[in-house]
Amino acid sequence: QGQLVESGGGSAQAGGSLRLSCEVSRYKYSSHLAWFRRAPGKEREGVADIYTGDGSTYYGDSVKGRFTIFQDRSRNTLYLQMNRLKPEDTAMYYCAAGSPDLVLMPDQYDYWGQGTQVTVSS
């Protein structure tokens, strides 16, 4: 049992930006690192994934063009840069690690953080 530790959540106005961080030192050799979110009353949703082998990235349709996932290997940290935020981005955000057959499917990831809350007001 290891740890993925998210930080950087908080409140923002619609149109604003936030950057989430996730300390991934024990999972840096996982093939994929990802961000998911769960809004109240909704299923967990895949937000973004990065393949650590070559840096290929994958995004959920609702965040394409607005969010960017990237990794700083020297700091063992995964990031999610969120721009042009919308109220519907309000959710608990989780980072995850694993070797999924299907990216952005929650049950394909083995390790999860505790989450960080993001709230976007209109």
Side-chain angles (χ1 to χ4, degrees), residues 23 28-29 34 48 57-58 66 78 80 85 94 98 100 106 109 113 119:
E23 202 283 318
K28 60 184 176 181
Y29 299 115
T57 55
Y58 309 86
R66 300 189 298 122
L78 177 72
L80 183 69
L85 284 163
Y94 302 87
Y109 294 77
T119 302

Side-chain angles (χ1 to χ4, degrees), residues 94-117:
Y94 302 87
C95 66
S99 301
D101 292 324
L102 294 173
V103 297
L104 299 180
M105 296 297 289
D107 61 359
Q108 299 279 310
Y109 294 77
D110 301 309
Y111 307 101
W112 293 82
Q114 295 299 306
T116 186
Q117 178 68 36

